[in-house]
Amino acid sequence: MTKKTNVLIVISNMEFGGAQRQIVELVNNIDNSKFSVSVCSLSQYTPLAEQFNSNIPLYVIHKKSKFDFSVVFKLAKLIRKHKFDIIHSYLFDAEIAARLAAKLSFTSIKIIGSERNANYTLKPIQKRAYIFTKHLVNAIVANSQSGAEFNAKQTGQPKSKYHVVYNGVDTNRFKPQSNQNIRAELGIAESAQVIGMFASFKKQKNHPFLIKALQQVKKQGVNFKLLLVGDVLYGGLHGSDNYTVALKQLIQESGFSQDVIYLGNRDDVERLYPACDFTVLPSLFEGTPNVVLESMACGVPCIATDVSDNARIIKHTSSGYIVAVDDIDSLSQYILGLINQPNLLNELSNNAQQTIIEKFSSYKLSENMEAIYSSVSCKNRL
């Protein structure tokens, strides 16, 4: 009987974020006959872990402070105890802790890093930490071509270490459905024009861009509802608490604040996408945004900014729209076009769903990750 490859996935937390959602998709769809996968969170805040299949072990090594180095030793102990073959880390804190813990475990464990974004600004201490530990990493999985190129440039890793695996979406969970019940629950008329934005309240997501574009739409006499799904990051991380205060003030002064519906973080987003006619993701930078994939899988077209690999996912004018960051005029015109042309909206909807089924399913995600785990594990046994 072939021995299973024992994989430990380490992440900074399991809150409502894109990387966390992809871990759920991966561990729930990976081939259990070949891989045994466990997850370790460096925070006690683990709401998305509730979506793991029952056979997925979850370990919590709580990081008590910014420089709590005891996490490294506890993680090394966990590696030795369970004899993991591979450690795969997500997000900065977990990346560095995993690299050092693997080294201090004095085992033959292989280390896989991740890149989930592109074209953001690394703090000097983060860049030094990545460069200092880069020789420990056996492979890096980026969820976009631009992310792989960005990470290589920032850290000096050879391009041979990189693999691109696009995010995947569960097409059984995210699929077209009637919006009648959910709109009734939300108090939205069936005939209303509903625009959705699914994103945490943080600077990266660039909510003000959408608000300013919608002000132009409102001046054209067009009525709509704006559905905001997401909330401030746990503990106000990355200044998201201050960002949220400023965002809500901007909305209050927008002239359409009465038409904005705040839903916070939700674990039933597959029901909320169909409540929308289309969605908008105006991010300043991304990797492969889950919300674009999820929206399209539900047959809800998306307008997204031309960052990272968004243009590789959305075929402009065929399955959605790509707009330059902060091109308010173009965004407002695309929004008006979708509101005023229901036949076009239906065409984009069909094309969007088909794109996800063919190229960005959870099955594709797990299949691609299995190949990387197998490759790294084989090298481990040489």
Side-chain angles (χ1 to χ4, degrees):
M1 182 176 178
T2 304
K3 176 182 176 295
K4 290 185 182 182
T5 300
N6 198 10
V7 180
L8 176 64
I9 293 176
V10 185
I11 188 164
S12 301
N13 57 65
M14 278 302 298
E15 65 170 278
F16 295 92
Q20 294 85 346
R21 291 186 186 280
Q22 284 306 297
I23 288 176
V24 172
E25 295 301 324
L26 174 59
V27 301
N28 286 349
N29 288 279
I30 201 165
D31 188 343
N32 292 320
S33 68
K34 297 179 181 178
F35 301 91
S36 177
V37 181
S38 303
V39 178
C40 177
S41 170
L42 303 188
S43 167
Q44 294 173 333
Y45 187 57
T46 61
L48 273 186
E50 296 177 6
Q51 297 182 14
F52 290 162
N53 290 343
S54 58
N55 63 324
I56 305 299
L58 173 67
Y59 303 100
V60 174
I61 299 177
H62 182 56
K63 184 181 176 185
K64 298 177 181 178
S65 63
K66 188 174 183 180
F67 297 105
D68 182 7
F69 203 75
S70 69
V71 166
V72 174
F73 296 105
K74 293 173 183 176
L75 192 53
K77 183 178 180 180
L78 186 68
I79 292 170
R80 290 192 296 269
K81 179 178 179 180
H82 295 281
K83 299 180 174 60
F84 290 108
D85 301 303
I86 293 171
I87 188 167
H88 183 185
S89 53
Y90 290 72
L91 307 181
F92 174 73
D93 291 354
E95 287 270 4
I96 303 305
R99 296 176 187 191
L100 297 176
K103 179 69 174 178
L104 293 177
S105 71
F106 300 105
T107 67
S108 58
I109 191 170
K110 296 296 184 181
I111 304 169
I112 299 178
S114 299
E115 179 55 80
R116 311 300 302 175
N117 275 306
N119 301 323
Y120 57 95
T121 301
L122 275 174
K123 296 178 181 178
I125 192 172
Q126 292 176 319
K127 191 168 184 177
R128 287 195 294 269
Y130 276 131
I131 293 173
F132 178 73
T133 59
K134 73 175 186 177
H135 66 286
L136 301 175
V137 181
N138 301 100
I140 299 172
V141 178
N143 66 347
S144 66
Q145 295 287 346
S146 56
E149 293 165 4
F150 170 80
N151 190 279
K153 184 177 180 179
Q154 292 291 313
T155 65
Q157 292 279 15
K159 292 184 178 180
S160 59
K161 283 189 179 182
Y162 289 87
H163 305 266
V164 175
V165 176
Y166 285 105
N167 290 356
V169 61
D170 182 351
T171 52
N172 291 316
R173 178 186 175 193
F174 294 93
K175 57 187 177 183
Q177 56 181 296
S178 170
N179 64 19
Q180 185 175 359
N181 290 337
I182 186 61
R183 283 198 175 191
E185 288 179 26
L186 298 175
I188 300 174
E190 284 188 58
S191 59
Q193 300 291 335
V194 181
I195 302 162
M197 181 171 173
F198 292 65
S200 298
F201 289 0
K202 56 183 179 179
K203 186 176 181 180
Q204 171 194 351
K205 299 304 180 179
N206 199 18
H207 293 74
F209 178 28
L210 174 58
I211 302 306
K212 292 172 184 177
L214 287 176
Q215 285 180 298
Q216 292 192 8
V217 172
K218 190 69 175 179
K219 288 178 181 177
Q220 300 296 317
V222 177
N223 293 318
F224 56 82
K225 296 291 184 182
L226 174 61
L227 207 62
L228 294 180
V229 183
D231 212 332
V232 61
L233 295 180
Y234 181 66
L237 194 66
H238 303 312
S240 63
D241 47 0
N242 293 330
Y243 175 84
T244 301
V245 171
L247 171 62
K248 291 187 175 181
Q249 182 63 34
L250 180 64
I251 292 173
Q252 191 63 35
E253 298 169 355
S254 68
F256 57 85
S257 59
Q258 72 281 1
D259 296 313
V260 178
I261 302 172
Y262 297 93
L263 292 182
N265 290 322
R266 297 280 293 250
D267 57 8
D268 63 342
V269 289
E270 71 278 7
R271 297 179 65 239
L272 299 176
Y273 286 108
C276 307
D277 292 290
F278 57 92
T279 59
V280 180
L281 185 65
S283 304
L284 297 171
F285 59 89
E286 283 289 351
T288 300
N290 292 325
V291 296
V292 170
L293 304 182
E294 292 168 356
S295 182
M296 292 172 67
C298 290
V300 179
C302 184
I303 305 172
T305 44
D306 191 9
V307 297
S308 190
D309 285 18
N310 282 350
R312 295 174 184 263
I313 302 168
I314 300 171
K315 188 174 181 181
H316 185 59
T317 73
S318 175
S319 59
Y321 290 107
I322 297 295
V323 61
V325 172
D326 289 341
D327 185 349
I328 295 173
D329 290 341
S330 291
L331 177 56
S332 62
Q333 288 305 309
Y334 292 145
I335 291 171
L336 284 167
L338 291 179
I339 289 175
N340 294 328
Q341 301 178 70
N343 289 337
L344 172 61
L345 191 61
N346 289 335
E347 180 183 341
L348 297 182
S349 172
N350 293 332
N351 292 340
Q353 185 198 10
Q354 196 59 37
T355 296
I356 302 304
I357 291 173
E358 292 176 359
K359 299 179 180 180
F360 299 100
S361 67
S362 296
Y363 172 77
K364 283 288 185 183
L365 165 70
S366 59
E367 183 181 58
N368 291 333
M369 282 307 310
E370 286 170 13
I372 294 169
Y373 288 161
S374 294
S375 175
V376 171
S377 181
C378 285
K379 292 178 183 177
N380 199 18
R381 290 192 279 266
L382 293 179

